[in-house]
C-alpha cells in the first residue's frame, strides 16, 4: 500500500518505520527540513531503541521523508500524526492538526482517487469530525474520501514492540468501507480489532491514559499511607494486583507520572469535562496526587538535612522514565526546580537525558557519571529507575553525608529511604 504520514514526531516516525518494515511504501511528510535530511540519511531525530536500524534499512527503498505534500496524491492512506501540545489552561492546541488537514485538502484537490484520511494524534472527542473533516473538505473539491480516528498506544522505549504487538487496534470510523480498508492494514497483527465510531475512538485514547494515570496515583496514595503505617506498599500492591479484575501492571508507587502523554491528556480531558459543565473530581485528584509526590521528596530531604539552602544535592535520573532521553513533565525536573527554589546546588546525572535537561533548566550542572555527581554531595535523590542506579553502593561513600532518597524503587543500598516506602 502507499501510505503518507504527516508529522515526523514520535508517532509518525514509529508508524513510518514499522509500516515500511511491513512492506508498505511510505512518504513521511515533515515541515522541518533538518529533520527530513536527518531521516533520509537513516538517522532518527528522536531516541528510541531500534528506530535508527529500521530507518536505515528502509530509507531510499520503501521509505522517503519530504517537506512536500504533493506526493500524498499517490497514497491509499494518509495518517495525520502531528503534535497536539497542551496550552497553559490545559486545552489542546490543535493548530498543527488544522494546518495538516488544510494542506491535505489542498494537495488532493480535484483528484479522482479515493483516500482514507486517518487521525492518529491524540485529540479531544469531536476533533476529527469538527476540525479534520471540515478543513479537508473546505480546501478540496473531491468528495471521494473516508475519514477515521485510529489512536496509538505506544510507550516510549518500547514503541516498535508495542506497534507490532498491540493489545488491541481501535478503528473509529463512521463508514464501513473506510473502516474495512484500515482494518486490512492491521489484520496481520495477532490482536483484537475494535470498531467504533470516530468520537468513541478519540475517547478510548483519553480514557485509557486517564485510567493508567489513575492506577499510578492510586498506588502513590496507598504508598503515602503505607509509609506512615510503616508497611511496604510494594508488598501491598503485589497482593492487590493478583486480583485478575485489577491486574499487576501500573501499580508501582513512586515519584508519579511524567512524559508527553499522561499529564497533557488528563489536563485536556479535564478541560473537555469542564466545557461540558461537568466537574471531573476524580481526574483532578489524580493530578493533585501526582503534583504532591515531588513535594514529598523535598519534605523528606528537609527532614534529614534541615534547611537545604547552599546544600549540594545529587539528582540521579532526569528522564521521565528509563530507556528514554525525554524529560517532558519528568518528576525529576519538578524536584530540581523545588531544590533550586530552596537555594540548593544541584549536581545532576542521567545516562541519556542530560542534554535535554540542560536545555530545559539553564545553568543545570550535569555530570558524565553517577560517581562524579555523588562526590561531596550532602544528599542524593534517585529520580529515574535506570538499572545502573541499582548497582550503586560504594559510590555513596563519596558523599559528604549519606542521605539517599529514592523516588523510584530501584536501589538495594540499605541507607536509602523511599518516597513512600
Ligand atoms: C504512555 C502510555 O503508556 C502509552 O500507552 C501512551 O500511548 C503514551 O503514554 P509513555 O508516556 O511512554 O506511555 O510512558 P509509560 O511507560 O506509560 O509511563 C508514564 C509515566 O508513568 C512514567 O513517568 C512512569 O515512570 C510512570 N509510572 C508508570 C509509574 O509511576 N508507575 C507505574 O506503575 C507505571
Amino acid at each position: 500500500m502507499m501510505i503518507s504520514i504527516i508529522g515526523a514526531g514520535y508517532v509518525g516516525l514509529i508508524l513510518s518505520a514499522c509500516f515500511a518494515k511491513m512492506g508498505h511504501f511510505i512518504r513521511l511528510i515533515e515541515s522541518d527540513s533538518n529533520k527530513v535530511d536527518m531521516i533520509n540519511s537513516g538517522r532518527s531525530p528522536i531516541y528510541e531503541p531500534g528506530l535508527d536500524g529500521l530507518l536505515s534499512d528502509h530509507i531510499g527503498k520503501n521509505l522517503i521523508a519530504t517537506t512536500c505534500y504533493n506526493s500524498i496524491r499517490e497514497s491509499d492512506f494518509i495518517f495525520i500524526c502531528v503534535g497536539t501540545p497542551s496550552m497553559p489552561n490545559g486545552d489542546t492546541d490543535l493548530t498543527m492538526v488544522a494546518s495538516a488537514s488544510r494542506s491535505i485538502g489542498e494537495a488532493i484537490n480535484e483528484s479522482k482517487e479515493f483516500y482514507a484520511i486517518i487521525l492518529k494524534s491524540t485529540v479531544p472527542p469531536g476533533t476529527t469530525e469538527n476540525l479534520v473533516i471540515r478543513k479537508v473538505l473546505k480546501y478540496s473539491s473531491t468528495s471521494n474520501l473516508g475519514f477515521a480516528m485510529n489512536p496509538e498506544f505506544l510507550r516510549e522505549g518500547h514503541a516498535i514492540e508495542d506497534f507490532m504487538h498491540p493489545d488491541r487496534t481501535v478503528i473509529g470510523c463512521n463508514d464501513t468501507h473506510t473502516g474495512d480498508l484500515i482494518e486490512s492494514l492491521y489484520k496481520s497483527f495477532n490482536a483484537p480489532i475494535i470498531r467504533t465510531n470516530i468520537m468513541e475512538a478519540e475517547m478510548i485514547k483519553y480514557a485509557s491514559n486517564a485510567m493508567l494515570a489513575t492506577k499510578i496515583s492510586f498506588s502513590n496514595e496507598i504508598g503515602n499511607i503505607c509509609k506512615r503505617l510503616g508497611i511496604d506498599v510494594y508488598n501491598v500492591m503485589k497482593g492487590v494486583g493478583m486480583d485478575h479484575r485489577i491486574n499487576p501492571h501500573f501499580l508501582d508507587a513512586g515519584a508519579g507520572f511524567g512524559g508527553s502523554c499522561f499529564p497533557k491528556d488528563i489536563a485536556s480531558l479535564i478541560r473537555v469535562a469542564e466545557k461540558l459543565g461537568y466537574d471531573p473530581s476524580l481526574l483532578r485528584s489524580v493530578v493533585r496526587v501526582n503534583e504532591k509526590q515531588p513535594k514529598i521528596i523535598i519534605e523528606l530531604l528537609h527532614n534529614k538535612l534541615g534547611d537545604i539552602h547552599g546544600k549540594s544535592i545529587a539528582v540521579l535520573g532526569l528522564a521521565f522514565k528509563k530507556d528514554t532521553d525525554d524529560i517532558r513533565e519528568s518528576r525529576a525536573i519538578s524536584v530540581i526546580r523545588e531544590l533550586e527554589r530552596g537555594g540548593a546546588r544541584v549536581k545532576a546525572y542521567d545516562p541519556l537525558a542530560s542534554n535535554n535537561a540542560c536545555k530545559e533548566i539553564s545553568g543545570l550542572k550535569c555530570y558524565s557519571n553517577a560517581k562524579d555527581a555523588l562526590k561531596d554531595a550532602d544528599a542524593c535523590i534517585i529520580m529515574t529507575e535506570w538499572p545502573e542506579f541499582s548497582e550503586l553502593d560504594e559510590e555513596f561513600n563519596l558523599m559528604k553525608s549519606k542521605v539517599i532518597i529514592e523516588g523510584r524503587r530501584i536501589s538495594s543500598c540499605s541507607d536509602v529511604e523511599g518516597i513512600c516506602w
Side-chain angles (χ1 to χ4, degrees), residues 10-11 122 152-158 162 168 205 208-209 212 215-216 219-220 234 248-263 265 290 319-322 329-331 383 385 407-408:
Y10 203 81
V11 172
T122 303
E152 205 45 74
F153 302 98
L154 307 174
R155 290 166 303 162
E156 292 188 25
H158 302 270
D162 284 353
R168 77 309 205 182
K205 175 65 193 256
S208 297
N209 278 354
L212 292 169
K215 287 184 87 171
I216 298 169
S219 299
N220 288 340
Y234 274 69
H249 305 290
F250 270 71
L251 296 177
D252 289 346
F257 55 82
S260 62
C261 291
F262 289 171
D265 294 348
N290 201 49
F320 80 95
K321 63 174 188 179
K322 67 174 178 171
E329 299 291 334
S330 169
R331 303 295 79 198
M383 287 303 297
E385 67 284 18
R408 307 283 176 200

Side-chain angles (χ1 to χ4, degrees), residues 159-383:
I160 293 171
E161 179 196 325
D162 284 353
F163 185 88
M164 293 298 188
H165 305 282
D167 287 341
R168 77 309 205 182
T169 299
V170 177
I171 300 170
C173 193
N174 299 351
D175 77 275
T176 312
H177 172 65
T178 307
D180 290 348
L181 284 174
I182 299 167
E183 191 164 335
S184 71
L185 276 180
Y186 293 109
K187 67 170 183 284
S188 63
F189 293 158
N190 187 19
I193 293 180
I194 317 290
R195 298 275 289 263
T196 66
N197 70 28
I198 289 179
M199 274 179 78
E200 287 160 355
E202 292 168 327
M203 192 59 168
I204 285 172
K205 175 65 193 256
Y206 269 2
S208 297
N209 278 354
M211 180 74 213
L212 292 169
T214 303
K215 287 184 87 171
I216 298 169
S217 278
F218 177 83
S219 299
N220 288 340
E221 184 118 299
I222 297 294
N224 294 338
I225 300 168
C226 284
K227 179 153 176 130
R228 282 162 178 77
L229 289 168
I231 54 179
D232 186 343
V233 61
Y234 274 69
N235 283 339
V236 171
M237 295 319 283
K238 190 171 171 193
V240 171
M242 281 178 179
D243 185 325
H244 76 278
R245 294 167 302 175
I246 298 174
N247 98 30
H249 305 290
F250 270 71
L251 296 177
D252 289 346
F257 55 82
S260 62
C261 291
F262 289 171
K264 166 176 91 79
D265 294 348
I266 292 187
S268 180
L269 187 52
I270 287 173
R271 287 293 294 147
V272 168
E274 281 173 352
K275 285 185 201 161
L276 294 167
Y278 176 76
D279 176 22
S281 47
L282 177 61
L283 298 178
R284 286 191 209 286
S285 299
V286 168
V287 174
R288 256 201 306 275
V289 172
N290 201 49
E291 284 166 359
K292 196 185 282 179
Q293 296 311 91
K295 295 196 172 81
I296 292 179
I297 296 224
I298 303 295
E299 273 167 34
L300 291 177
L301 197 63
H302 277 291
N303 293 346
K304 301 240 181 192
L305 288 184
D307 187 5
I308 60 169
H309 192 272
K311 295 275 166 56
S312 164
I313 315 292
V315 176
L316 302 186
L318 301 166
F320 80 95
K321 63 174 188 179
K322 67 174 178 171
D323 295 332
T324 177
D325 64 354
D326 196 342
I327 53 127
R328 282 176 289 176
E329 299 291 334
S330 169
R331 303 295 79 198
I333 302 298
S334 308
V335 162
I336 290 173
R337 291 200 197 285
E338 291 281 339
L339 290 172
E340 290 189 336
R341 247 193 300 278
R345 286 179 292 119
V346 176
K347 305 176 79 190
Y349 165 68
D350 189 283
L352 281 183
S354 295
N355 284 347
N356 285 339
C358 287
K359 281 183 217 152
E360 177 73 20
I361 301 180
S362 66
L364 179 66
K365 186 121 187 59
C366 286
Y367 290 77
S368 55
N369 57 62
K371 210 169 154 184
D372 289 349
L374 288 170
K375 193 161 183 304
D376 297 328
D378 293 290
C380 161
I381 305 175
I382 303 173
M383 287 303 297

Side-chain angles (χ1 to χ4, degrees), residues 399-420:
M399 297 170 66
K400 203 185 285 172
S401 56
K402 219 169 164 183
V403 172
I404 309 160
I405 295 165
E406 62 177 357
R408 307 283 176 200
R409 177 86 149 226
I410 180 80
S411 179
S412 49
C413 176
S414 54
D415 298 296
V416 171
E417 176 165 4
I419 175 174
C420 40

Side-chain angles (χ1 to χ4, degrees), residues 60-81:
K61 296 175 191 153
N62 59 339
L63 167 58
I64 292 172
T66 171
T67 54
C68 175
Y69 269 82
N70 285 345
S71 58
I72 71 172
R73 288 176 75 87
E74 290 138 37
S75 312
D76 304 297
F77 298 92
I78 302 169
F79 283 91
I80 302 175
C81 303

